[in-house]
Amino acid sequence: MVKLYLHDIWTTVVDMKWRYKLSLFVSTFLTTWFFFGLIFYLIAMTNNDLNTEQALNHTPCVINVATLTGAYLFSLESQTTIGYGFRHISEECPHAIVTLVLQLVLTGLAEIFVTGAFLAKLARPKKRAETVKFSQLALISKYKGQVCVMVRVANMRKSPLVQCQLSGKLLFPNVTEEGEKIQLHQESVNFQFDSSEQCPFLVLPLIFYHVLDENSPLASLTAENLKVRNFELVVTLNGTMESTASTCQSRTSYVPQEFRWGYEFKPLLFGTHKGKYVADFHYFDEIQLSNDFSLLQDPINEKLLLEHEYHKD
């Protein structure tokens, strides 16, 4: 498992939590400063620069570096391009020059990698996806004469999401024709907005529909067996942020206890005297009985139908 993470080190670093990423950022600089400072200290030691009783014609490799602390400070100054005035390399030691060049090249690449990982994490639209709101319940009612599963989705930011598409996966246990038991069998559940599978932009709250026809994996769903079925409907919204053209993805899921048969969402868009539309999110999760009573003609919803007719009278 560790090899797999190290094989794709870029994604591993980008997916790191911020506290680990900050630790990596700081440790990258501290480690490279100390590592190359230690190399310069060893070069000075090999060249006998640390001897206080040096010959008059002796030229140190790194001027004014006589301790490990001085070598560390020289490495720091070289890598951060602070500049030289007190410590600098002489022309007598080619291996010190080569070490300095290697330090600048390698640490430059390391800084690009770590800084790029920071920018990539900041630019990820993960937080943007958290501003997409799904309805708490999935409703089953009629839309344009067809029985549909309905889910309401809203964009909580003023900046719109474009090219939005809602898709679903139905997860349920299944037994194949060969007798193999599959705990999480998956089937696609296609949602659509009006007559297309994609809405141009998501500004106002919208309702997406999945038709329960013969091609639907939920075709056998009825008001009677809804509560005893064992499945989970995972719904995913894919959209593109208009401001950055980056894609974001937000998801939720519904179990049978979160379905309501014969209900529809209450309207939440209201017109103002200025000709504008206002969305009242107090009604976002509010539901009401469907006007099509044919869905309520079963023993489970008989009580609800009687209550609805009573309040109507």
Side-chain angles (χ1 to χ4, degrees), residues 17 23 31 37 45 56 83 90 95 97 100 151-152 154 188 198 204 222 237-238 256 280 294 302-303 305 312:
K17 295 183 178 180
S23 300
T31 302
M45 183 184 297
L56 295 177
S90 65
H95 47 286
I97 299 175
L100 178 61
V151 176
R152 178 179 272 173
S188 298
Q198 189 179 91
L204 299 174
T222 63
L237 178 74
N238 294 287
D280 189 349
S294 62
E302 183 178 356
K303 181 180 177 181
L305 179 60
K312 184 176 181 181

Side-chain angles (χ1 to χ4, degrees), residues 65-102:
V65 172
T67 62
L68 181 59
T69 303
Y72 175 80
L73 292 175
F74 172 73
S75 175
L76 186 153
E77 293 172 359
S78 300
Q79 188 170 328
T80 55
T81 62
I82 293 176
Y84 307 101
F86 184 70
R87 301 178 182 88
H88 58 89
I89 293 179
S90 65
E91 301 177 356
E92 300 297 328
C93 297
H95 47 286
I97 299 175
V98 172
T99 303
L100 178 61
V101 173
L102 287 177

Side-chain angles (χ1 to χ4, degrees), residues 134-164:
F134 293 91
S135 58
Q136 296 180 356
L137 300 173
L139 308 184
I140 300 178
S141 184
K142 280 192 175 182
Y143 176 72
K144 294 183 177 180
Q146 295 178 305
V147 180
C148 302
V149 175
M150 300 184 296
V151 176
R152 178 179 272 173
V153 184
N155 174 23
M156 305 305 293
R157 283 186 177 271
K158 292 183 178 179
S159 58
L161 291 173
V162 298
Q163 298 178 355
C164 296

Side-chain angles (χ1 to χ4, degrees), residues 229-280:
R229 292 282 296 270
N230 182 18
F231 66 86
E232 182 176 5
L233 177 61
V234 180
V235 178
T236 304
L237 178 74
N238 294 287
T240 302
M241 294 184 292
E242 187 183 46
S243 56
T244 62
S246 300
T247 59
C248 67
Q249 184 181 93
S250 182
R251 69 178 63 88
T252 188
S253 65
Y254 300 96
V255 294
Q257 292 74 21
E258 296 172 320
F259 280 75
R260 295 294 183 270
W261 188 281
Y263 282 84
E264 59 186 20
F265 290 105
K266 285 186 177 181
L268 53 74
L269 292 179
F270 303 95
T272 64
H273 62 281
K274 295 182 179 180
K276 296 182 179 180
Y277 288 98
V278 177
D280 189 349

Side-chain angles (χ1 to χ4, degrees), residues 172-187:
F172 60 95
N174 186 37
V175 180
T176 63
E177 297 180 356
E178 294 76 15
E180 180 184 0
K181 294 182 179 180
I182 302 177
Q183 294 297 328
L184 285 178
H185 180 70
Q186 301 184 24
E187 289 195 21

Side-chain angles (χ1 to χ4, degrees), residues 27-214:
S27 61
T28 300
F29 287 97
L30 295 179
T31 302
T32 54
W33 291 342
F34 179 77
F35 176 76
F36 284 98
L38 182 61
I39 293 179
F40 285 118
Y41 181 75
L42 294 176
I43 292 175
M45 183 184 297
T46 305
N47 198 45
N48 200 26
D49 296 341
L50 306 181
N51 187 6
T52 57
E53 298 180 358
Q54 298 175 354
L56 295 177
N57 59 350
H58 178 78
T59 303
C61 287
V62 183
I63 309 299
N64 296 322
V65 172
T67 62
L68 181 59
T69 303
Y72 175 80
L73 292 175
F74 172 73
S75 175
L76 186 153
E77 293 172 359
S78 300
Q79 188 170 328
T80 55
T81 62
I82 293 176
Y84 307 101
F86 184 70
R87 301 178 182 88
H88 58 89
I89 293 179
S90 65
E91 301 177 356
E92 300 297 328
C93 297
H95 47 286
I97 299 175
V98 172
T99 303
L100 178 61
V101 173
L102 287 177
Q103 178 184 8
L104 297 180
V105 172
L106 295 178
T107 56
L109 294 175
E111 291 173 11
I112 291 173
F113 180 85
V114 176
T115 306
F118 258 84
L119 295 177
K121 191 171 183 65
L122 289 172
R124 295 181 72 178
K126 182 177 181 180
K127 295 298 181 181
R128 180 64 177 89
E130 295 178 358
T131 58
V132 175
K133 186 176 181 180
F134 293 91
S135 58
Q136 296 180 356
L137 300 173
L139 308 184
I140 300 178
S141 184
K142 280 192 175 182
Y143 176 72
K144 294 183 177 180
Q146 295 178 305
V147 180
C148 302
V149 175
M150 300 184 296
V151 176
R152 178 179 272 173
V153 184
N155 174 23
M156 305 305 293
R157 283 186 177 271
K158 292 183 178 179
S159 58
L161 291 173
V162 298
Q163 298 178 355
C164 296
Q165 186 174 11
L166 193 73
S167 60
K169 282 289 184 181
L170 187 67
L171 310 179
F172 60 95
N174 186 37
V175 180
T176 63
E177 297 180 356
E178 294 76 15
E180 180 184 0
K181 294 182 179 180
I182 302 177
Q183 294 297 328
L184 285 178
H185 180 70
Q186 301 184 24
E187 289 195 21
S188 298
V189 178
N190 299 320
F191 283 84
Q192 62 184 19
F193 171 72
D194 289 340
S195 60
S196 62
E197 295 182 358
Q198 189 179 91
C199 66
F201 53 86
L202 182 60
V203 178
L204 299 174
L206 299 177
I207 298 177
F208 290 83
Y209 306 88
H210 167 70
V211 181
L212 298 180
D213 54 14
E214 62 276 3

